[in-house]
Amino acid sequence: MTEPIPGLSLSPLEILAVLGALAVVLARWLPYRRAFLLNGAATVAVAGVALAATGLRWQLYPVVAVTAIVLVVAVARRGRGRMRRRFAVPATAAALLVLAAVPVAAWALPVPVYPEPTGEYAVGTAVHQWTDATRPEPFTADPDDHRTVVVQLWYPAEVPPGAATAIAGRADLEESQAVTDASADLFGIPAFLLADAAAAPSHAVFDAPAAPGDFPVVVFSPGLNATRTANTVLAEEWASRGYAVATVDHPYDAAVAFIDGAPVYSRNTLTSDDEAEIAAINRANIATRSADLSFVLTQLKTIGHVDTARAAVAGHSRGAVAALAALAADTRFDAAVHIDGGLEPTLPPGPFSQPALSITSPISAADNPDYIPNLEAALALGPADTYRLELPEAGHFSFTDAALFFPPVPSAVGTIGRTEGLERTSDATALFLDSVLRDRPADLPAELKAYGDLALYG
């Protein structure tokens, strides 16, 4: 009764509460006014108490508020007759508009449902913190402060039945809420709008025993200010297909990272309109991220069941740019997956000899005329097995978990649907990674074309 109905994004109890409030609002215009008023209020109360036991969603607050206001007015006017029509009509209309906004808000900002990973493995996850003693921390002035990164490893696992799963990729609701609050604050979004996203269960099990075998590696960098769990769907999917996936929190870049348990917030805010200064900041950010990715690959050698001799680097948005830079700088990476990342023109990745797959959004390309030409110039520096796949109808956030809960604004999530972009990205990237890291036979140009418009470079 508390699980949202697919398509409606409201649970049966929430629907019951809305109908009860509707009866309260319309009671003045119906026969048996008192019966509708009392029964509707009772329905809202019972449904509200039941929902409160599992957490009343913010979308239902207007239902409770409207019901309470109508009841207060009804009690205040008891014995004085009905409200005059010229006041009752606009008041009823306003209340109906508020109630109509409830299902719209629930549909636009739904409770995210993380897709079940489709691979043969269950998924485990664990968090590691590593300090690079050879690099000072570029975001602080302390010469003794060395660069520390937080890495979440997602891996094929043997999960016991009934094991508790992660909350939006995090260990518990408190941490997930802290990440959501920091992200909302950074982007100027009221945090309560993302409360449902913070509480949604994903599928990985923390510290589950690893499955037998040594698995190829994908080191993943998220978008600008994004955290290591911004791409949980992709990480869980790749892990279920037999990859060890290391998603990286880049401290002082991520909205929040937890170093030794203490929150470290982003310092990525641009304070200048000068293009040269902005370009310099971007170059420094990309260089730091690229070095982080190489350092993580080095540290992964200390982890069991991880085969760093078969390694790819991947990322989304700013992380995708860092992935290409890391590919060019570190030949230990056998391949790269670049997902919709606009290049900094003053810092193009150098030539690279390893295969690369770039997946782009047509909406991102339309919004930035320089995006594809700059990217194509970089991809042309790669070998013959370098590809760019344009995913039809995808927006910039169609490749991230945000597609599950962002408002369906085409400029952000395209028109591809909440899960379709993630599913196609998972399938196309797995096809590429299986071919490159596992030597699985594939006619990549022919098979990748099934997912969108394909261009070859090199």
Side-chain angles (χ1 to χ4, degrees):
M1 291 291 285
T2 60
E3 292 297 319
I5 298 172
L8 292 178
S9 298
L10 288 172
S11 70
L13 274 176
E14 290 171 334
I15 293 172
L16 194 63
V18 172
L19 292 176
L22 191 63
V24 169
V25 169
L26 294 177
R28 188 234 187 256
W29 308 97
L30 298 172
Y32 310 108
R33 171 176 176 266
R34 184 178 297 274
F36 274 101
L37 187 69
L38 296 178
N39 288 332
T43 299
V44 173
V46 171
V49 169
L51 290 167
T54 56
L56 188 67
R57 297 169 64 200
W58 64 267
Q59 290 94 334
L60 271 291
Y61 291 174
V63 171
V64 176
V66 166
T67 302
I69 291 170
V70 174
L71 287 175
V72 168
V73 171
V75 171
R77 295 196 61 82
R78 188 175 181 183
R80 298 168 56 190
R82 294 187 180 185
M83 181 185 294
R84 293 185 179 181
R85 189 180 185 88
R86 68 174 180 271
F87 299 121
V89 169
T92 301
L96 291 175
L97 284 174
V98 171
L99 293 181
V102 170
V104 173
W107 168 79
L109 290 160
V111 176
V113 178
Y114 284 77
E116 188 82 32
T118 64
E120 61 180 297
Y121 294 100
V123 180
T125 190
V127 177
H128 302 272
Q129 178 180 307
W130 293 317
T131 298
D132 186 350
T134 67
R135 285 193 296 153
E137 174 53 65
F139 285 94
T140 68
D142 184 354
D144 296 324
D145 189 8
H146 292 92
R147 182 67 173 169
T148 296
V149 295
V150 179
V151 175
Q152 187 157 344
L153 190 66
W154 316 73
Y155 53 89
E158 294 183 332
V159 173
T165 61
I167 303 297
R170 297 282 170 162
D172 53 47
L173 179 59
E174 182 180 7
E175 182 181 341
S176 179
Q177 188 65 61
V179 172
T180 301
D181 290 349
S183 299
D185 182 65
L186 194 64
F187 293 104
I189 303 170
F192 74 86
L193 295 178
L194 302 180
D196 291 337
S202 48
H203 300 283
V205 173
F206 270 86
D207 301 317
D214 292 330
F215 302 99
V217 171
V218 180
V219 182
F220 189 94
S221 179
L224 188 67
N225 298 135
T227 71
R228 67 178 193 260
T229 49
N231 302 86
T232 291
V233 173
L234 280 180
E236 290 186 336
E237 180 62 30
W238 286 336
S240 80
R241 298 191 188 202
Y243 291 89
V245 184
T247 58
V248 183
D249 266 339
H250 301 280
Y252 301 102
D253 182 331
V256 64
F258 294 92
I259 306 294
D260 295 327
V264 172
Y265 295 99
S266 173
R267 295 184 183 178
N268 251 342
T269 304
L270 293 173
T271 57
S272 172
D273 294 328
D274 182 78
E275 292 187 6
E277 186 174 344
I278 292 173
I281 292 171
N282 289 339
R283 288 196 300 269
N285 180 263
I286 293 166
T288 297
R289 279 174 170 252
S290 175
D292 287 349
L293 298 174
S294 288
F295 172 65
V296 168
L297 181 60
T298 298
Q299 295 302 111
L300 285 171
K301 292 181 180 179
T302 65
I303 303 296
H305 300 280
V306 173
D307 183 3
T308 56
R310 295 181 291 164
V313 62
H316 171 254
S317 194
R318 176 59 62 81
V321 181
L324 282 184
L327 185 72
D330 191 341
T331 56
R332 294 179 301 164
F333 287 116
D334 299 302
V337 174
H338 165 282
I339 303 176
D340 212 34
L343 274 64
E344 167 55 54
T346 63
L347 184 66
F352 54 93
S353 59
Q354 311 97 306
L357 170 64
S358 174
I359 301 181
T360 59
S361 153
I363 294 174
S364 297
D367 289 343
N368 181 2
D370 295 329
Y371 171 33
I372 299 302
N374 288 338
L375 178 59
E376 288 184 322
L379 296 177
L381 300 176
D385 43 0
T386 299
Y387 311 93
R388 183 174 69 84
L389 178 68
E390 184 173 271
L391 200 64
E393 302 178 350
H396 187 60
F397 292 101
S398 299
F399 311 103
T400 74
D401 299 352
L404 303 178
F405 55 84
F406 266 22
V409 179
S411 60
V413 297
T415 56
I416 196 171
R418 294 198 177 275
T419 60
E420 287 81 357
L422 290 162
E423 290 168 359
R424 294 185 199 178
T425 301
S426 298
D427 290 342
T429 53
L431 180 68
F432 172 76
L433 292 170
D434 285 348
S435 174
V436 175
L437 299 185
R438 288 184 162 140
D439 296 322
R440 291 186 177 172
D443 182 352
L444 280 180
E447 295 185 47
L448 288 172
K449 283 181 180 177
Y451 299 98
D453 299 323
L454 187 70
L456 280 68
Y457 302 90

